Amino acid sequence: LGADDYLVKPFTKDELIRAVHTQIQKQSVFQQELSSYQQELKKLKKTNHQLQQRKHIQEEMLKTLVEDLRGNFSKVNLAIHLLKSENDQEKRVQYLEVLEEELKWEIQLLEKASNLNHVITTENINFLQRYKLLEVLNQYQENSHNGMVNPKF
């Protein structure tokens, strides 16, 4: 019925003291377990926060990658269109060079993106936070989204 202990009447002074002592020990064990759970919860919250930061950075970098690729695909489409309609051999060679250059850049970009999981680790995020470089990276990404920074740089 929710009782932690009981004493049968009549009881002696020693029985009462033992019962109280047992309850104090149980309470002490409970407090230690509670403290342990609170520390574990604190660690889990910190880990969760770090994982959320990592996820956010990866999403932002992926978003930037997709935007950069879309921009280059429009250049590639334009060069293909011009190449198809161009009769001048010299200009056709120029359009092919543009296509080759854009293709190389896109391959490099995709290779960098494939290494994203290896670069964005919890340890790296901690390092970036320690030296406030995460703020600089976020500012750079915001500027590149707004067209203020050359994304190829």
Side-chain angles (χ1 to χ4, degrees), residues 16 31 43 51 67 79 122:
L16 178 61
Q31 288 292 343
K43 287 178 188 176
L51 290 172
E67 289 173 0
T122 303

Side-chain angles (χ1 to χ4, degrees), residues 62-147:
L62 182 61
K63 183 178 173 183
T64 301
L65 171 69
V66 168
E67 289 173 0
D68 288 349
L69 286 174
R70 278 195 184 126
N72 274 20
F73 286 146
S74 65
K75 291 178 189 176
V76 168
N77 281 332
L78 177 63
I80 289 172
H81 176 72
L82 293 172
L83 184 63
K84 285 181 180 179
S85 64
E86 187 59 57
N87 292 328
D88 182 2
Q89 185 62 27
E90 191 174 308
K91 286 189 178 183
R92 288 177 66 92
V93 168
Q94 280 181 322
Y95 296 145
L96 283 172
E97 287 173 358
V98 168
L99 284 172
E100 287 174 346
E101 182 179 323
E102 291 303 315
L103 180 62
K104 285 178 187 176
W105 185 82
E106 288 173 9
I107 289 171
Q108 288 175 349
L109 192 60
L110 289 172
E111 286 173 357
K112 289 176 184 176
S114 67
N115 292 327
L116 193 61
N117 282 334
H118 302 293
V119 172
I120 312 262
T121 63
T122 303
E123 294 81 21
N124 288 348
I125 290 173
N126 290 339
F127 174 80
L128 292 173
Q129 285 177 325
R130 187 175 307 128
Y131 295 103
K132 300 187 188 234
L133 296 174
L134 196 56
E135 296 167 16
V136 173
L137 178 62
N138 287 335
Q139 185 64 39
Y140 172 79
Q141 287 176 339
E142 287 176 19
N143 290 342
S144 68
H145 290 305
N146 297 333

Side-chain angles (χ1 to χ4, degrees), residues 6 14 18 32 34 38 49 54 67 72-73 102 105 116-117 148 152:
Y6 66 93
D14 289 338
R18 274 197 306 273
Q32 289 173 352
L34 180 60
Q38 287 173 334
H49 180 70
R54 182 177 177 183
E67 289 173 0
N72 274 20
F73 286 146
E102 291 303 315
W105 185 82
L116 193 61
N117 282 334
M148 296 173 62
K152 290 184 182 181

